[in-house]
Amino acid sequence: MGRRGSTSSALGIEINEPTEESLTTVAQEPDVNSPLIQRNLRNDHSLLLFLRERVQKDLAFKQQLLNYIEHSKKDKKWRLAAANAITVLVRSGVQFNGANLKGIRIPGADLSHGSFDSADLQDADLRGVNLQGAWLRGTNLSRSRMSGVRFGELPRRPEDGAVRSCAYSSDGKTFAAGLEDGSIHLYSTATWKVNRILNGHWNTIRRIVFSPKGDQVASASHDETVRLWDFETGLLQHTLTDHDNWVHCVAYSPQGDNIASASDDRTVRIWDVVTGECSQVLSEHTEGVLCVAYSPSGEQIASSSADWTLRLFKVETGECSHVLCGHTHNVWEIAYSPRGNQIASVSRDRTVRLWDVETGACLFTLTGHIHVIECVAFSPKGDQFASGSGDATVRLWDVETGQCRQTLMGHGDVVKCVAFSPDGNRLASGGLDETIRLWDVSVETARFVSSGHSMDVCNVQCSPKGGLIASCSVDRTIRLWDADTGACRQTLMGHNDSVFSIAFSPHGDRIVSGCPDHSVRIWDIEAGTCLHASGGHSDSVECVAFSPQGGTFASASDDNTIRIWDVATLECYMVLTGHTGGVRGVTYSPNGTRIASASKDCTVRTWDSGTGECCLILIGHTNWARHVVYSPQGNQLASAGYDKTIRLWDAETGECCMTLTGHSDRVICVAYSRQGNLLASGSWDETVRMWDLATGECRAQLRNLHGPIHGLAWSKSSDGNYLVTSGGDPSVLKWEVVEDDGLCHVRLLWSATNGALTMKGASIQDVHGLSLLNKQLSKQRGVIGEPLRETSKSWCPTSSRRQLKLDAPPVLDTPVEQPAQEEHPEYTSGNEDDPVLL
């Protein structure tokens, strides 16, 4: 998955190519004998798969499902059918962006990873609904009933530094986080507040573990020591100092009387926890030992190393019984299954391997992460295990099949540690983004394996031939999307660093890309291969652009130069110099005779593309000129500046024709519409503005986007205006822009996302039943409004309460404290105001 796409008419959303048979009237009551009314289908995966395929082929059936949802607004007898219907539609990729869902009754529905951008869900019955990974930007949830709602995660816990290790105590009441500064934070899982901080290490904590009895904590550090702490008092009991290099890992024996430690000194050491004495040294590895683990029986120790191997040792004799080979780089971490018959290992080679302990055979080699895999942990039941990666994701893998069950998104940097709670209902992860994230893994949900970027998207471009949209990211990949559906068609991999900029060739068969590692690459789209890669710049390549004829392209760099390259040979044949600061933007004029550049020296320059001579120096910006583009007619230039302005220039004379102001922060990018009458601008203020170039007025504004807007591109189409945006998150968004009587109406068509929960700008004003933890999570995600204080009064329909408009922020009442509630109550059948058994 990784995208959200296509829709319905009964709810105010367009159905693509409706047939006469599919346009059933909503006034006609649905079939009361339908299986949708008989039972909840949320966990019947085979039936849901069948119904999903039917929806995608049968518009009449899709309309029938939409009618159930519509009728639930008026009569509660349709609520089970409506919950089933919307579950099927969401699983089918139907999006509900801008939909009128006011007052729908869908308790217990599975809306995980559904798209509800700016939808109206006022007064809806959402009790027990699964909203994991849902796109709820700008959604109006006012006065809806949300007791028992699951978002798939708990509020994140910000830390004082990078989180390098984490662990639950055996009773699940305490959680420990080891930080890069050498401190250990102990949390109460009842309140998720820090109860105690253990100080003593002076370098990074690489591993922290609780003793089986819970009376002791052991920590391993880059300060070359292992420390043992009394859990009750927090006092240091022992400092173990025999290692003479970084200590990466420590593990308790199941009986709790010994610990094993792994070090860059190429040894595993066994220690007595009472005396602190080293009783045994295992020194079979030829490089640093990165991880160590005891088998559940305590009869075996496994270790992994920078020598690319795992080794299995008999505890009693210290004899190495197996050497497990297969990884092609450092094996960072290992974990035994609860039964002890399998070991999972993760490596810098970007694979997860599952091994048979008895035979040493590799059962599965699992791929999916696109960066180094840092950590791994088995669930207590042993049916799945989790891995965390440098691609900022956590993946859950099925032990029996080796398939990825879920991709958990939300971290902003490398994930360094993962840990399951003892009951298996929670998964904690920590990373270099200085946060601890808590995931609800107790509910079986629709399998979601993201096909989207895992980190911020730096740029987007639309193919000149239509049909494809390209994006590039900090995750080092370029992805190609179907322009109509948002489906990911291809992923181009090969860069060793973030990809900052991309450009299509005029024929749409090639892409050029630029990277901070000073390189440029040419890609063949059909083959999905890199044709050429070349250096030349002495600093980061910030922007690339193809000539209209397609024989050359330009690259702009922080080395203050623009280089012109021959596409066939990837040889640089011209260097444009003159800027006194890094060059951040470059573009060709429509006829290809001119090149324009934008620089940190606050100027825009135009150049003769044939001779390389500087034609014009455009002065006006008072801070960096970040981006520059030619109008479709070629008679005008638009530049984006860190001075918060957009400037329009006469391309022939260099005169500044107009200065557009309104952004409250640096402007990063600009793009002319295909007709040239509109200009879109993206800014660090997290908004996109649409400007009328005849009047200079802002005609529309997109708000509640995530992070700075790094990329804008207008999609080639004969049936309307479509704008593609990317920003400070992993999403690529396509919008329909409709001009009507001097106004611009903008609607989200699809979003290619990483599956992370999105709630920015959603209203929870007067919401009923939202738990304290869910309220905290919602606030972290940027919602507006305050939920109701629960009273004995029953939920009231819209007619007895004030209305809220989707295009205006709600009036906020005086904030009230939300009482703590049971996080996931059981549902029992009853009247309209009782929970519902589904």
Side-chain angles (χ1 to χ4, degrees):
M1 293 181 63
R3 67 181 180 89
R4 336 235 183 190
S6 96
T7 57
S8 94
S9 68
L11 303 169
I13 308 176
E14 178 185 357
I15 296 180
N16 296 324
E17 301 179 3
T19 63
E20 193 171 315
E21 292 80 17
S22 74
L23 299 179
T24 56
T25 174
V26 175
Q28 179 181 350
E29 191 166 275
D31 180 10
V32 294
N33 297 314
S34 168
L36 296 173
I37 299 177
Q38 308 304 319
R39 62 186 178 89
N40 186 283
L41 306 180
R42 184 168 66 181
N43 296 320
D44 192 333
H45 299 296
S46 58
L47 181 56
L48 287 174
L49 178 62
F50 168 78
L51 295 175
R52 182 184 73 182
E53 293 173 352
R54 184 177 173 188
V55 165
Q56 293 167 346
K57 297 176 182 177
D58 186 350
L59 286 176
F61 179 61
K62 178 195 287 189
Q63 188 66 56
Q64 180 185 351
L65 298 181
L66 293 166
N67 288 349
Y68 281 123
I69 300 170
E70 186 69 18
H71 276 80
S72 76
K73 298 177 180 180
K74 305 169 186 176
D75 192 334
K76 68 181 181 181
K77 76 178 181 181
W78 301 110
R79 61 189 177 187
L80 178 56
N84 284 326
I86 201 166
T87 296
V88 172
L89 290 168
V90 168
R91 293 279 184 99
S92 305
V94 174
Q95 63 179 5
F96 292 88
N97 300 325
N100 176 16
L101 302 172
K102 193 173 185 178
I104 65 170
R105 295 175 171 95
I106 54 168
D110 184 358
L111 307 186
S112 56
H113 306 289
S115 187
F116 298 85
D117 188 87
S118 301
D120 187 351
L121 277 161
Q122 295 179 83
D123 304 302
D125 185 352
L126 304 178
R127 292 171 296 162
V129 167
N130 183 1
L131 290 171
Q132 178 177 343
W135 182 277
L136 300 169
R137 187 199 74 97
T139 303
N140 195 340
L141 297 163
S142 301
R143 301 183 303 278
S144 61
R145 307 170 72 189
M146 298 186 70
S147 59
V149 159
R150 295 193 174 196
F151 291 112
E153 55 191 286
L154 278 65
R156 67 178 180 269
R157 302 294 153 181
E159 267 295 357
D160 299 330
V163 182
R164 301 297 295 267
S165 179
C166 63
Y168 279 93
S169 62
S170 58
D171 61 6
K173 295 180 179 180
T174 304
F175 178 83
L179 305 189
E180 201 159 52
D181 65 4
S183 64
I184 300 165
H185 291 191
L186 300 180
Y187 286 84
S188 163
T189 57
T191 62
W192 283 103
K193 293 181 179 179
V194 176
N195 285 344
R196 180 178 290 126
I197 298 177
L198 307 180
N199 290 310
H201 288 290
W202 53 266
N203 206 335
T204 300
I205 303 294
R206 285 294 285 117
R207 181 58 66 92
I208 183 167
V209 288
F210 288 89
S211 65
K213 296 178 181 178
D215 58 343
Q216 194 177 64
V217 176
S219 54
S221 169
H222 282 177
D223 66 8
E224 303 180 8
T225 70
V226 175
R227 295 177 186 248
L228 305 181
W229 313 80
D230 183 279
F231 174 71
E232 287 298 327
T233 65
L235 296 177
L236 180 64
Q237 295 177 323
H238 293 292
T239 301
L240 313 182
T241 59
D242 287 6
H243 286 295
D244 57 12
N245 209 326
W246 288 358
V247 186
H248 289 289
C249 190
V250 63
Y252 276 95
S253 65
Q255 296 76 26
D257 53 345
N258 290 305
I259 59 169
S261 59
S263 169
D264 259 354
D265 65 11
R266 306 183 184 183
T267 68
V268 173
R269 292 177 180 266
I270 313 299
W271 312 80
D272 185 288
V273 299
V274 176
T275 66
E277 295 295 322
C278 178
S279 59
Q280 196 172 12
V281 180
L282 308 178
S283 53
E284 296 286 331
H285 285 290
T286 59
E287 296 292 342
V289 188
L290 303 175
C291 191
V292 65
Y294 274 93
S295 66
S297 68
E299 297 174 355
Q300 190 179 72
I301 288 176
S303 59
S304 66
S305 168
D307 65 12
W308 306 0
T309 70
L310 290 76
R311 292 177 184 263
L312 307 183
F313 297 91
K314 296 178 180 178
V315 170
E316 187 175 350
T317 64
E319 175 190 354
C320 180
S321 58
H322 286 95
V323 179
L324 310 184
C325 300
H327 283 294
T328 57
H329 218 303
N330 299 354
V331 185
W332 283 118
E333 197 162 294
I334 54 177
Y336 274 96
S337 65
R339 290 173 55 195
N341 60 326
Q342 294 174 332
I343 293 176
S345 61
V346 296
S347 168
R348 193 171 179 179
D349 66 12
R350 305 179 186 180
T351 69
V352 182
R353 288 178 181 254
L354 194 63
W355 309 83
D356 183 282
V357 170
E358 185 176 349
T359 66
C362 181
L363 304 174
F364 293 112
T365 299
L366 312 178
T367 60
H369 286 294
I370 60 173
H371 285 286
V372 175
I373 309 177
E374 302 275 350
C375 50
V376 65
F378 264 95
S379 68
K381 293 180 181 178
D383 60 328
Q384 64 178 341
F385 59 92
S387 59
S389 168
D391 62 15
T393 71
V394 175
R395 287 181 176 248
L396 297 177
W397 307 88
D398 188 286
V399 170
E400 185 175 345
T401 66
Q403 291 185 329
C404 181
R405 289 182 173 181
Q406 281 192 71
T407 305
L408 304 177
M409 302 287 197
H411 280 288
D413 210 327
V414 178
V415 180
K416 283 290 186 179
C417 54
V418 288
F420 281 93
S421 61
D423 61 9
N425 291 333
R426 299 282 185 268
L427 176 70
S429 58
L432 299 189
D433 61 1
E434 303 185 356
T435 66
I436 299 164
R437 290 190 175 261
L438 303 168
W439 311 93
D440 181 356
V441 292
S442 63
V443 178
E444 189 172 2
T445 185
R447 175 167 291 173
F448 181 83
V449 181
S450 173
S451 61
H453 289 290
S454 61
M455 302 178 82
D456 292 2
V457 178
C458 301
N459 193 225
V460 288
Q461 294 293 326
C462 298
S463 170
K465 298 299 183 182
L468 283 180
I469 292 167
S471 59
C472 60
S473 169
V474 176
D475 69 12
R476 308 181 186 183
T477 69
I478 300 165
R479 294 178 188 260
L480 301 176
W481 311 90
D482 185 290
D484 293 326
T485 67
C488 184
R489 297 300 184 203
Q490 206 165 15
T491 300
L492 308 179
M493 301 176 67
H495 277 290
N496 298 316
D497 207 336
S498 305
V499 189
F500 277 176
S501 183
I502 49 176
F504 276 99
S505 65
H507 299 297
D509 58 340
R510 299 282 190 272
I511 284 178
V512 63
S513 58
C515 185
D517 66 6
H518 312 174
S519 72
V520 291
R521 292 175 183 250
I522 292 280
W523 304 83
D524 182 288
I525 292 177
E526 185 174 354
T529 58
C530 179
L531 301 176
H532 297 288
S534 180
H537 285 290
S538 60
D539 209 330
S540 173
V541 179
E542 298 288 330
C543 190
V544 290
F546 256 103
S547 67
Q549 293 74 30
T552 63
F553 71 88
S555 59
S557 170
D558 259 349
D559 65 8
N560 301 358
T561 70
I562 300 109
R563 289 179 175 259
I564 313 301
W565 307 78
D566 183 279
V567 171
T569 64
L570 203 64
E571 292 183 358
C572 174
Y573 67 88
M574 189 185 300
V575 181
L576 311 182
T577 60
H579 281 295
T580 58
V583 187
R584 287 305 185 98
V586 67
T587 188
Y588 279 87
S589 63
N591 62 13
T593 61
R594 293 286 185 270
I595 293 172
S597 57
S599 169
K600 290 181 180 180
D601 64 12
C602 307
T603 70
V604 174
R605 292 179 180 241
T606 65
W607 314 78
D608 186 293
S609 63
T611 66
E613 292 183 5
C614 182
C615 304
L616 295 170
I617 302 176
L618 313 181
I619 299 174
H621 284 293
T622 58
N623 204 330
W624 294 3
R626 179 63 177 80
H627 192 220
V628 62
V629 289
Y630 274 96
S631 66
Q633 297 76 25
N635 62 332
Q636 191 180 76
L637 283 161
S639 59
Y642 274 16
D643 58 6
K644 308 178 187 178
T645 70
I646 301 108
R647 293 178 184 263
L648 306 182
W649 313 84
D650 187 289
E652 196 65 37
T653 66
E655 178 186 356
C656 183
C657 311
M658 192 180 298
T659 301
L660 308 178
T661 60
H663 283 294
S664 60
D665 208 333
R666 294 165 285 180
V667 186
I668 303 173
C669 50
V670 286
Y672 283 94
S673 64
R674 297 284 177 173
Q675 297 75 25
N677 62 318
L678 292 176
L679 184 76
S681 59
S683 167
W684 273 84
D685 65 12
E686 305 184 7
T687 69
V688 173
R689 286 177 176 256
M690 311 272 185
W691 306 88
D692 186 312
L693 293 179
T695 65
E697 294 180 356
C698 179
R699 294 175 61 183
Q701 187 174 181
L702 292 176
R703 301 176 183 269
N704 298 318
L705 301 174
H706 287 265
I709 309 303
H710 293 303
L712 296 169
W714 292 85
S715 179
K716 182 180 178 64
S717 177
S718 59
D719 63 347
N721 278 338
Y722 300 97
L723 180 69
V724 181
T725 66
S726 65
D729 72 353
S731 302
V732 176
L733 310 175
K734 184 178 180 181
W735 310 82
E736 181 182 30
V737 181
V738 178
E739 298 179 71
D740 179 26
D741 195 24
L743 297 175
C744 280
H745 302 283
V746 185
R747 180 172 70 97
L748 182 66
L749 289 181
W750 54 253
S751 55
T753 75
N754 63 356
L757 176 67
T758 300
M759 299 184 73
K760 194 168 184 181
S763 173
I764 59 168
Q765 186 66 34
D766 294 341
V767 159
H768 296 250
L770 197 65
S771 71
L772 180 59
L773 287 177
N774 280 340
K775 177 184 174 182
Q776 292 172 354
L777 174 65
S778 300
K779 290 297 184 181
Q780 287 182 350
R781 296 306 174 94
V783 301
I784 57 177
E786 288 292 331
L788 276 180
R789 180 194 298 273
E790 294 304 306
T791 68
S792 59
K793 292 182 179 180
S794 63
W795 171 70
C796 303
T798 303
S799 59
S800 63
R801 291 185 177 271
R802 58 184 170 82
Q803 304 288 316
L804 297 181
K805 295 182 179 179
L806 275 175
D807 56 357
V811 178
L812 303 187
D813 295 333
T814 303
V816 295
E817 285 298 317
Q818 177 73 15
Q821 299 175 17
E822 187 178 349
E823 183 70 12
H824 302 300
E826 295 294 326
Y827 295 107
T828 56
S829 58
N831 62 38
E832 176 67 12
D833 295 308
D834 289 335
V836 182
L837 177 63
L838 291 174

